[in-house]
C-alpha cells in the first residue's frame, strides 16, 4: 500500500482526473456565468496544493514537460489559425498600432514592472514580459459579451488579443533564446548566428508546411474525413522537427503554419475551425489544471506585497501607457481609447506559456524562473476579477455599452416579422431586421424598425451589425434553405437554445425532415410563415399581456381561449418562442406576446368600454383582465 501511495495515481488515472477537473470547471463556469479561468484556477489549486490528490510532477514524471509543450503548441497554432487578416474591418488601423507599437512597448513596460515591482531578475523579467503581451482572447470575448460593448472597441480588443496571442509567445521564445545564448560558452557571434538560423528555419518550415497543407486541401488531395487527422499529425511533426533544431522554435513554426492556413480561404475552414476550437478547450483546460495543480504551497506563500505591486503597475501603468501611446493619432474617440487602455485581462495562454518557460529557465540555472508560474496565476486571477466587475460599468460610464436588454435579431423582412418587431419595440426590446432582398425591408423601414440590408453571414454584416446586442435570433425569410443555413451557421456563436427558425414546409414529413443538428428550434406548433401571414391578413393583431400573481396563465387562457401565443419575454428579459402552446409555462412578471383573432379584439373593446377604459395593448396591474 505504501508503495502504491508513493507511486502516485499513475499517468492514466491522473490524465482522466485532469480531464474531469478541466472540462468540469468549464461547464461549471458556463452554468454560473463566471469566467472559466477563475473556476479552473480554483479546481487546480484544490486538486493539487490544497488536497494533494493530483501532483503532476509525481503522477506524470518525465511526461509532464512534453505534454505541456505539445498542448501549448496546439494552442498557439489555434491563435495563428484564428488570425484572418481579411476580417479586421474598421479595427484594422487600431490593431496595427497595438501590434507594431503596442507589443514592443508593452514588452518593455511589463519587463520594467516585473523588475521593479516583482523583484525578478532581468533574465526572467524579459522572458515573462514578452509573454505578458498576450491579453487573453478566451477571456476577453465573454467579458465583452457581458458588457454588451459597442462594435468597434469590442472588435479592436478581440483582434488585439488574437493577434498578440502568438506574438507574446514568440517574444518569449526570442527572450529565452537570448538568455540561453548569453549563458552558453559559445562565442557571441556564433551564438547569435545559431539563434537567427534557427528562427529563420522555423519560420520558413512553418510557412512552407502551412502553404502545402492549404494547397493540398484546396486541390482536393485530402478527403474531407481525413483533413482534421492530417492537419493534427502535420502540426505535431512540424513542432517536433523544428524544436529539435532549435529549442522552443517549434512554437514559432506552428504559429506561422496556423497563420498561413487560416488566411488561405479554404472551403473547409469552418470544419477545421470547429475542430481546433474543441481541441483548444480541452487542451487549455488541461494545461491550466496541470499548471495550477503543480504549484507548491511554499511558492504561493513566498508571494508578498511585491506581487500585488507588480499587478498594480501592470493594470494602472504599463497597460494604459502602452495603449494610449500606441493609439496617438489613430482617430479613435477619447472614450474608446480610455476604455481599451484600462481593459487588459490575461488568460490561459499566458499561464500555459509562462509555466512552460518558467520551468525552462529554472532548468538552465535562472533560479527565480520558478516564480514566473505563481506570478502568472496572480496576474490572471486579479485582472479577470477586476475586469469582470468593472468592464460593464466602465463601458456604460463612457457611453460605449449597448442596451442591457436582450434583443432579437430577425432574418427576413415580412408582414409578420414587421408586426412582431413593432410589438417588441413597444415592449422596449431591441430588434433588428436583416434581409438580403432590399424590397423586403421597405415595410419595416416604413414602420421605423431598425434594419440591415445584406447577407447576415457576409463580411459586411461582421463590420456593421452589433451582433453582441442580440441574444436571440429568428430565421424567418421565405426561403427555408436559407433559414436553415443561417440558423446552423450562427448557432455555435449564439447558442443553439437561442436560435429559432420558422417551421419549414413539409417539416413534419419524414421524407423532408432534416437532422437535428441542422437549423434552429421550431416554434408555433408547425405554423409556417405563410400561415402566420394568413392570420394577419384575416385581421389578427399582436397583443402583449403581463402575467402577475393575480392574473396568471390559467386566467389568460380563460380570457383569451383563441389567442395564438408567439413568444414570451421572461422577467429577466430573456426571449423564447412558444413551441407548444399547451405545454407553455410562464412565470409571474413575464409577458406573453400573442396574436388575437378579430372576435377577441371586439370582445376586448367591449369589456374596456363597459369598464370605462380605453383599449390598451398591455394591461396594467390595476386591470389584470385584458
Amino acid at each position: 500500500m505504501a508503495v502504491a501511495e508513493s507511486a502516485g495515481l499513475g499517468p492514466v488515472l491522473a490524465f482522466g482526473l485532469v480531464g474531469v477537473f478541466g472540462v468540469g470547471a468549464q461547464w461549471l463556469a458556463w452554468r454560473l456565468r463566471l469566467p472559466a479561468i477563475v473556476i479552473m484556477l480554483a479546481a487546480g489549486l484544490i486538486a493539487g496544493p490544497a488536497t494533494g490528490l493530483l501532483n503532476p510532477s509525481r503522477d506524470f514524471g518525465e511526461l509532464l514537460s512534453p505534454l505541456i509543450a505539445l498542448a501549448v503548441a496546439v494552442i498557439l497554432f489555434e491563435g495563428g489559425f484564428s488570425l484572418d487578416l481579411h476580417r479586421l474591418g474598421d479595427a484594422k488601423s487600431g490593431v496595427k498600432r497595438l501590434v507594431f507599437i503596442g507589443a514592443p512597448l508593452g514588452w518593455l513596460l511589463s519587463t520594467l514592472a516585473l523588475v521593479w515591482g516583482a523583484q525578478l531578475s532581468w533574465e526572467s523579467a524579459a522572458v515573462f514580459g514578452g509573454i505578458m503581451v498576450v491579453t487573453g482572447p478566451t477571456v476577453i470575448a465573454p467579458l465583452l459579451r457581458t458588457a454588451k460593448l459597442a462594435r468597434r472597441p469590442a472588435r479592436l480588443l478581440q483582434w488585439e488579443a488574437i493577434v498578440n496571442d502568438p506574438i507574446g509567445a514568440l517574444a518569449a521564445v526570442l527572450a529565452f533564446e537570448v538568455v540561453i545564448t548569453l549563458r552558453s560558452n559559445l562565442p557571441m557571434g556564433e551564438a547569435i548566428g545559431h539563434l537567427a538560423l534557427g528562427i529563420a528555419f522555423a519560420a520558413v518550415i512553418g510557412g512552407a508546411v502551412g502553404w502545402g497543407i492549404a494547397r493540398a486541401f484546396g486541390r482536393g488531395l485530402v478527403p474531407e474525413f481525413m483533413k482534421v487527422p492530417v492537419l493534427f499529425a502535420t502540426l505535431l511533426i512540424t513542432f517536433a522537427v523544428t524544436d529539435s533544431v532549435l529549442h522552443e522554435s517549434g512554437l514559432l513554426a506552428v504559429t506561422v503554419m496556423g497563420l498561413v492556413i487560416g488566411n488561405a480561404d479554404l472551403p473547409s475552414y469552418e470544419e477545421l475551425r470547429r475542430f481546433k476550437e474543441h481541441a483548444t478547450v480541452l487542451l487549455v483546460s488541461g494545461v491550466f489544471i496541470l499548471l495550477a495543480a503543480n504549484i507548491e504551497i511554499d511558492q504561493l506563500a513566498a508571494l508578498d506585497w511585491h506581487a500585488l505591486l507588480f499587478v498594480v503597475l501592470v493594470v494602472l501603468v504599463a497597460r494604459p501607457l502602452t495603449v494610449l501611446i500606441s493609439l496617438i493619432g489613430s482617430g479613435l474617440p477619447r472614450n474608446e481609447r480610455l476604455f481599451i487602455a484600462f481593459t487588459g485581462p490575461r488568460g490561459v495562454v499566458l499561464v500555459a506559456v509562462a509555466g512552460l518557460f518558467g520551468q525552462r529557465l529554472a532548468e538552465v540555472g535562472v533560479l527565480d524562473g520558478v516564480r514566473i508560474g505563481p506570478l502568472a496565476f496572480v496576474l490572471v486571477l486579479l485582472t479577470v476579477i477586476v475586469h469582470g466587475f468593472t468592464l460593464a460599468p466602465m463601458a456604460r460610464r463612457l457611453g460605449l455599452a449597448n442596451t442591457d436588454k436582450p434583443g432579437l435579431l430577425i432574418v427576413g423582412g415580412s408582414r409578420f416579422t414587421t408586426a412582431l418587431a413593432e410589438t417588441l419595440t413597444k415592449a422596449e426590446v431591441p430588434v433588428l431586421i436583416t434581409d438580403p432582398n432590399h424590397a423586403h425591408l421597405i415595410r419595416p423601414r416604413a414602420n421605423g424598425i431598425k434594419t440591415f440590408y445584406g447577407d447576415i453571414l457576409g463580411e459586411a454584416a461582421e463590420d456593421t451589425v452589433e451582433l453582441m446586442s442580440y441574444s436571440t435570433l429568428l430565421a424567418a425569410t421565405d426561403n427555408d434553405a436559407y433559414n436553415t443555413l443561417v440558423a446552423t451557421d450562427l448557432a455555435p456563436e449564439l447558442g443553439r437554445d437561442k436560435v429559432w427558425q420558422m417551421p419549414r414546409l413539409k417539416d413534419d414529413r419524414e421524407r423532408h425532415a432534416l437532422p437535428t443538428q441542422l437549423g434552429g428550434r421550431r416554434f408555433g406548433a408547425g405554423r409556417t410563415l405563410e400561415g402566420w401571414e394568413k392570420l394577419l391578413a384575416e385581421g389578427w393583431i399582436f397583443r402583449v399581456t403581463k402575467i402577475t400573481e393575480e392574473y396568471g396563465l390559467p386566467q389568460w387562457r380563460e380570457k383569451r381561449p383563441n389567442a395564438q401565443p408567439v413568444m414570451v419575454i421572461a422577467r429577466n428579459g430573456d426571449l423564447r418562442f412558444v413551441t407548444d402552446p399547451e405545454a407553455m409555462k410562464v412565470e409571474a412578471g413575464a409577458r406573453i406576446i400573442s396574436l388575437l383573432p378579430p372576435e377577441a379584439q371586439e370582445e376586448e373593446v367591449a369589456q374596456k368600454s363597459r369598464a370605462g377604459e380605453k383599449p390598451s395593448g398591455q394591461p396594467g396591474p390595476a386591470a389584470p383582465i385584458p
Side-chain angles (χ1 to χ4, degrees), residues 345-403:
R346 268 55 177 190
V348 178
V349 172
L350 180 136
V351 174
V353 179
L356 178 66
F357 280 102
Q359 294 176 5
R360 296 285 192 266
L361 286 169
E363 290 171 1
V364 298
V366 182
L367 299 181
D368 61 354
V370 296
R371 295 181 57 205
I372 290 180
L375 284 171
F377 277 109
V378 171
L379 177 64
V380 167
L381 179 62
L382 293 182
T383 55
V384 168
I385 291 175
V386 168
H387 292 302
F389 284 104
T390 62
L391 206 63
M394 184 167 58
R396 288 194 295 268
R397 188 72 178 267
L398 293 172
L400 296 174
N402 294 310
T403 174

Side-chain angles (χ1 to χ4, degrees), residues 297-515:
I297 293 292
D298 57 348
Q299 291 178 345
L300 293 175
L303 295 176
D304 52 15
W305 63 271
H306 290 289
L308 182 59
L309 175 61
F310 152 66
V311 175
V312 171
L313 288 174
V314 170
V315 174
L316 298 182
V317 179
R319 171 67 181 177
L321 281 178
T322 298
V323 173
L324 294 176
I325 293 175
S326 301
L327 295 181
I328 291 176
S330 64
L332 288 176
R334 179 173 172 268
N335 59 341
E336 292 187 16
R337 284 183 279 124
L338 285 174
F339 183 85
I340 296 167
F342 287 96
T343 304
R346 268 55 177 190
V348 178
V349 172
L350 180 136
V351 174
V353 179
L356 178 66
F357 280 102
Q359 294 176 5
R360 296 285 192 266
L361 286 169
E363 290 171 1
V364 298
V366 182
L367 299 181
D368 61 354
V370 296
R371 295 181 57 205
I372 290 180
L375 284 171
F377 277 109
V378 171
L379 177 64
V380 167
L381 179 62
L382 293 182
T383 55
V384 168
I385 291 175
V386 168
H387 292 302
F389 284 104
T390 62
L391 206 63
M394 184 167 58
R396 288 194 295 268
R397 188 72 178 267
L398 293 172
L400 296 174
N402 294 310
T403 174
D404 290 333
K405 298 180 180 178
L408 176 65
L409 175 62
I410 301 176
V411 182
S414 64
R415 182 174 183 172
F416 170 76
T417 57
T418 301
L420 176 61
E422 282 188 282
T423 306
L424 289 170
T425 301
K426 292 176 181 177
E428 298 183 342
V429 175
V431 183
L432 173 69
I433 296 180
T434 77
D435 202 299
N437 188 328
H438 190 274
H440 292 173
L441 296 176
I442 295 176
R443 186 191 299 270
R445 282 177 175 168
N447 287 273
I449 306 300
K450 186 178 179 182
T451 63
F452 168 75
Y453 166 55
D455 195 323
I456 191 62
L457 303 179
E459 292 185 5
E462 290 186 6
D463 295 336
T464 306
V465 176
E466 301 269 8
L467 197 58
M468 287 186 181
S469 301
Y470 306 98
S471 63
T472 308
L473 178 137
L474 171 63
T477 70
D478 54 5
N479 187 325
D480 287 336
Y482 183 68
N483 291 340
T484 302
L485 175 64
V486 168
T488 303
D489 190 80
L490 294 180
E493 183 168 353
L494 294 173
R496 295 191 179 278
D497 60 322
K498 297 292 186 181
V499 174
W500 299 82
Q501 177 181 349
M502 190 68 70
R504 301 164 55 249
L505 291 171
K506 304 178 183 179
D507 214 1
D508 56 343
R509 302 185 188 180
E510 184 177 352
R511 182 180 294 272
H512 299 280
L514 293 176

Side-chain angles (χ1 to χ4, degrees), residues 131-181:
I131 304 168
M132 286 171 57
V133 171
V134 176
T135 54
T138 56
V139 175
I140 195 70
L143 290 180
L144 294 178
R145 193 175 295 114
T146 301
K148 294 186 177 297
L149 190 63
R151 178 180 50 82
R152 185 168 58 190
R155 285 175 66 88
L156 203 154
L157 283 168
Q158 285 180 313
W159 278 107
E160 179 204 9
I162 291 172
V163 175
N164 280 347
D165 211 20
I167 288 178
L170 298 182
V173 171
L174 282 173
F176 179 77
E177 293 301 332
V178 169
V179 170
I180 295 296
T181 300

Side-chain angles (χ1 to χ4, degrees), residues 249-274:
S249 65
L251 298 177
L252 169 61
V254 296
T255 303
V256 173
M257 174 184 166
L259 181 63
V260 172
I261 297 175
N263 286 271
D265 197 22
L266 295 174
S268 53
Y269 176 82
E270 283 303 311
E271 290 81 0
L272 299 177
R273 180 180 64 84
R274 285 173 186 161

